[in-house]
Amino acid sequence: MKFLMLVLDGLGDRPDKRGRTPLEAAKTPNMDSLAREGMTGLVDPIRPGIVPGSDTAHISLLGFNPYEVYMGRGPYEALGAGLTLKEGDLCFRTNFATLESRTNKIEDRRAGRISGNLSELEKAINDIKLPCNFEFKQTVDHRGVLVLRGKKFSDQITSTDPHKTEVPIRKCNSLDKSKESVSSASIVNKFSDLAQKALEECKLNAERKRDKLPPANALLLRGAGVYHENSTVEDAYGIRGSCVAGTAIVKGVAKSMGLEIINVPGATGGADTDIKCKLDFALKTLETRDFCLINIKATDNFSHDGNFKGKTEMIEKIDAKLGGIVRETNKNLVVAILGDHTTPCSLKAHSGDPVPLVIKGPTTRVDLSRGFDEKNCMQGGVGRIRGTDLLLILMNLAGKEKLYGA
Ligand code: ZN
Ligand code: ZN
């Protein structure tokens, strides 16, 4: 028997003025049937009250303690972008940004959300000469990743992104006095200056200025992290998994834990993502894998926008595609649907509330849940568990746990 972990990003919520969460308001016949014929519960992704990021939450759901293995966001973004990392690489997330040329202050942190073919900019940056090796990759629109390698690096350094406009790019500072931190900060500052010069000379930027568009004449760095090789889910639990996700961060976490990343056409990480195709690909990979983790990101995007209606409709849209999965749970599939964290629309940010969970397989116990939402899950038979418990629970239900003792 195989299992599927379907993570609806930021699914959990708090009630609105009418006393309902989006999951309570949404019409979800498929998820409700899983709840009626299976069991529900609540998951504290990391620990009660801890406000999880998507990265730390997914580490936990894959059975590892994020406090032990989390490397900072940079390495996961770089892995998710398809780069191959080596032990000790220093990784960042990057943004193309617009600097006002007279004042040298940041005018736009995303260079007008620049899009299209940016290979000229990518090449200009990769042609910079630095005292270490490095690799820069533009990913989606203004976003990208930078990996410095070949020296002893430290991630105890500050980011160059001030997270606001009308101020200059920040100098990178070391957070401790170690030789590695000081030299890492100095290389980052050198890179930052040279990137600005290289981008300033790009033809594309001259064209953008002519067309009254904000030029991408600077690169902001944040999320510094040094890559360390992790023990994988297979090492720790003896099972092999795959991951279907639209966002680099989730792909990166999954890859760092040895899951096979399945690239699905039409998986965008947005509301337009091809849900049906993601589910079909996930089921297909189960022919050769023990489990698959699917992440659908759009529910979290709506939450960050404070869009209760959008989140509710997205949940309904996902539910409508779950008929095939529901049928499989009567044969040889255990399914868990849950959030990776709560993102209340009223907060437009993640919170530390536990997330709803439903589990159903062909022979799982049945509790008294009447539907899948925060209220039902509070009384569900799984009770209240931590994120790191989930993998073992699913392994047991899928018959993959061995006898402990005699
Ligand atoms: Zn998330
Ligand atoms: Zn979020």
Side-chain angles (χ1 to χ4, degrees):
M1 189 146 23
K2 308 292 173 95
F3 68 90
L4 203 65
M5 213 189 269
L6 174 56
V7 177
L8 310 186
D9 211 291
L11 175 67
D13 214 301
R14 293 177 182 171
D16 67 350
K17 288 196 194 79
R18 296 164 64 196
R20 288 188 314 178
T21 67
L23 188 56
E24 285 162 10
K27 288 190 182 62
T28 52
N30 281 318
M31 295 187 219
D32 291 345
S33 84
L34 291 174
R36 277 195 309 274
E37 290 159 30
M39 50 192 175
T40 68
L42 289 177
V43 184
D44 290 295
I46 296 176
R47 259 165 44 190
I50 298 292
V51 181
S54 286
D55 42 16
T56 48
H58 279 82
I59 290 171
S60 198
L61 296 177
L62 287 172
F64 284 82
N65 180 350
Y67 292 105
E68 286 170 14
V69 302
Y70 184 56
M71 298 182 266
R73 187 145 181 183
Y76 299 111
E77 288 283 344
L79 286 171
L83 298 190
T84 304
L85 298 184
K86 295 194 191 85
E87 185 73 21
D89 286 354
L90 176 59
C91 314
F92 300 86
R93 309 171 69 195
T94 69
N95 265 19
F96 282 123
T98 305
L99 281 189
E100 218 276 328
S101 43
R102 278 173 306 116
T103 58
N104 233 8
K105 288 182 177 168
I106 298 169
E107 205 172 71
D108 186 329
R109 279 186 63 251
R110 300 179 183 89
R113 294 190 178 273
I114 186 169
S115 60
N117 182 352
L118 305 182
S119 55
E120 186 202 357
L121 306 183
E122 187 179 75
K123 182 171 184 312
I125 288 183
N126 278 315
D127 285 346
I128 292 173
K129 297 279 170 284
L130 273 190
C132 66
N133 294 332
F134 73 96
E135 189 175 357
F136 167 72
K137 184 173 177 182
Q138 180 256 339
T139 53
V140 181
D141 302 344
H142 55 281
R143 301 183 196 92
V145 291
L146 172 72
V147 178
L148 305 180
R149 54 172 56 118
K151 272 192 184 310
K152 265 199 171 276
F153 293 109
S154 156
D155 52 15
Q156 293 306 298
I157 54 174
T158 60
S159 71
T160 67
D161 184 351
H163 286 278
K164 54 185 177 192
T165 54
E166 308 296 324
V167 294
I169 296 184
R170 274 207 190 137
K171 278 266 164 278
C172 175
N173 292 312
S174 58
L175 293 168
D176 61 32
K177 294 204 171 74
S178 75
K179 213 167 72 190
E180 288 80 18
S181 302
V182 173
S183 89
S184 298
S186 137
I187 292 176
V188 167
N189 285 325
K190 183 152 202 185
F191 173 85
S192 196
D193 288 346
L194 292 175
Q196 208 176 313
K197 289 200 184 78
L199 290 169
E200 204 59 77
E201 285 164 14
C202 286
K203 253 199 274 156
L204 180 70
N205 277 329
E207 285 166 25
R208 286 180 70 83
K209 283 183 202 162
R210 193 194 59 213
D211 298 342
K212 304 259 176 297
L213 291 168
N217 55 5
L219 199 66
L220 303 177
L221 311 183
R222 63 187 196 281
V226 170
Y227 174 72
H228 295 294
E229 222 166 84
N230 235 25
S231 62
T232 63
V233 172
E234 189 174 0
D235 297 333
Y237 294 93
I239 52 170
R240 297 171 71 221
S242 57
C243 171
V244 172
T247 59
I249 183 84
V250 174
K251 285 187 204 175
V253 166
K255 194 167 160 190
S256 78
M257 314 204 122
L259 271 61
E260 181 191 14
I261 308 302
I262 311 295
N263 288 311
V264 175
T268 62
D272 58 345
T273 198
D274 191 336
I275 301 163
K276 172 85 170 49
C277 195
K278 282 172 95 163
L279 297 172
D280 287 349
F281 269 66
L283 288 177
K284 182 95 185 110
T285 74
L286 289 180
E287 287 168 14
T288 55
R289 301 270 151 175
D290 298 303
F291 76 102
C292 181
L293 166 75
I294 313 177
N295 174 283
I296 298 180
K297 176 70 180 159
T299 33
D300 191 52
N301 298 345
F302 284 115
S303 313
H304 283 287
D305 292 341
N307 187 345
F308 186 101
K309 187 164 174 273
K311 186 173 181 179
T312 305
E313 287 168 2
M314 190 68 210
I315 293 169
E316 292 180 345
K317 216 166 121 183
I318 296 166
D319 187 82
K321 306 282 186 216
L322 293 179
I325 300 272
V326 171
R327 280 190 296 280
E328 288 299 315
T329 64
N330 296 322
K331 298 180 210 160
N332 49 10
L333 183 70
V334 177
V335 168
I337 304 177
L338 74 162
D340 57 342
H341 45 76
T342 292
T343 312
C345 291
S346 55
L347 289 185
K348 300 184 182 176
H350 301 186
S351 76
D353 308 48
V355 299
L357 163 74
V358 60
I359 301 177
K360 156 87 170 68
T363 61
T364 41
R365 290 178 182 168
V366 181
D367 65 12
L368 299 175
S369 303
R370 303 316 302 157
F372 180 49
D373 55 39
E374 285 83 346
K375 270 201 191 88
N376 275 288
C377 289
M378 279 185 208
Q379 292 156 38
V382 182
R384 185 162 172 168
I385 61 168
R386 292 200 183 178
T388 43
D389 296 332
L390 183 64
L391 198 75
L392 285 173
I393 290 173
L394 297 176
M395 284 175 66
N396 168 55
L397 292 173
K400 295 186 186 300
E401 261 298 291
K402 291 187 196 77
L403 179 67
Y404 171 58

